[in-house]
Structure formats: structure tokens, C-alpha cells
Amino acid sequence: MDYNYPLDYTWTTEDIIDVMSLYNAVEQAYEKGISKEDFLAAYRRFKKVVGTKSEEKQIDREFEEVSGYSIYKVFKASQDHDWIRM
């Protein structure tokens, strides 16, 4: 699918790659499934870029608007399962 991903263009190239990795992990959780370890690794890199909870929530809302996929819901599922399939 082709989405207009929510990105902050003041981020470095490395930051954008880390955020895009999380978006890809969330997509994978919905479309094919992903291991908890792979998702959480991408989420940890994302959290280094997006420092505040309010910014994280805003990005999640924007991402869900364009993709229909929720970062938060996948994160919550990762707390209870070793394999995430939404």
C-alpha cells in the first residue's frame, strides 16, 4: 500500500528510517504477523526519535488515519503475545 506517512522533516535520515521501520512493523503485524521481538525492537528505535508521549499519540493518530493501522493496538498486543497478528 502507498500511504503518506506522518514524518517530521526536521528528523535526520537515520531518525526517518527508524520511524519508517516501526510503520513497516505495524503494517506487517496487520498483514502477515510479526514476532514480538521484531516489533519491540522497531518500537524502541522509534521511541528514541519520538521522545514525548503526546508526540507519540499524535503520530499514532495520523498514521491510523492514513493506514487504518494503530501503533498503540499493536503495542498492546505485544504485551500479551509472542506472535502478533492483528
Side-chain angles (χ1 to χ4, degrees), residues 48-83:
K48 288 181 181 179
V49 176
V50 178
T52 66
K53 194 58 116 171
S54 62
E55 187 179 7
E56 181 180 351
K57 287 179 181 181
Q58 178 184 348
I59 288 171
D60 185 27
R61 275 192 306 274
E62 292 173 7
F63 181 68
E64 190 169 10
E65 283 177 20
V66 298
S67 69
Y69 301 155
S70 170
I71 297 167
Y72 175 76
K73 289 177 185 174
V74 175
F75 177 78
K76 290 304 282 182
S78 76
Q79 303 305 297
D80 298 324
H81 305 286
D82 291 332
W83 182 259

